[in-house]
Amino acid sequence: MNIYDYKTFEINSLSQAQFLIKNNFPRKINFIHKYNSVVWQGPIYLKTIYNNIISKKVNYIVETRDDIGLFISLINLKFKFFALSS
């Protein structure tokens, strides 16, 4: 699966993701969840979003910057795509 071929959107909530999925139904899409909202929403909420939106047409990418604790928490929750920066 080549994520560069998909249309990409920045999201902050489950409702935004569901709205974008509904409006882009036939397309394959990427969602990037930015670090600023990830920090205060936490890994459990991110897992809820992941469970509700993931499909063959959707990639959910979480930005963790250099937060190793958050990165490890998301690995334990079986996330597959991350955006890291140092």
Side-chain angles (χ1 to χ4, degrees):
M1 160 181 339
N2 190 352
I3 64 172
Y4 299 109
D5 295 335
Y6 297 179
K7 191 164 183 134
T8 303
F9 299 97
E10 180 182 322
I11 63 166
N12 294 318
S13 68
L14 177 58
S15 60
Q16 284 179 335
Q18 290 173 330
F19 176 78
L20 290 167
I21 289 170
K22 193 178 293 183
N23 288 338
N24 292 286
F25 181 70
R27 291 190 197 144
K28 295 181 178 181
I29 53 179
N30 295 321
F31 290 128
I32 296 181
H33 203 127
K34 297 301 259 179
Y35 180 76
N36 295 340
S37 59
V38 167
V39 169
W40 63 269
Q41 290 173 331
I44 302 299
Y45 181 67
L46 300 179
K47 187 64 175 180
T48 301
I49 293 173
Y50 177 83
N51 288 337
N52 285 295
I53 66 169
I54 202 65
S55 70
K56 290 183 179 182
K57 294 186 176 191
V58 175
N59 290 320
Y60 183 49
I61 304 162
V62 178
E63 182 184 26
T64 60
R65 288 196 186 162
D66 60 351
D67 191 340
I68 300 299
L70 175 62
F71 181 72
I72 291 171
S73 296
L74 295 173
I75 288 174
N76 286 336
L77 291 173
K78 311 273 190 267
F79 276 82
K80 296 180 183 177
F81 296 107
F82 303 95
L84 299 171
S85 61
S86 59

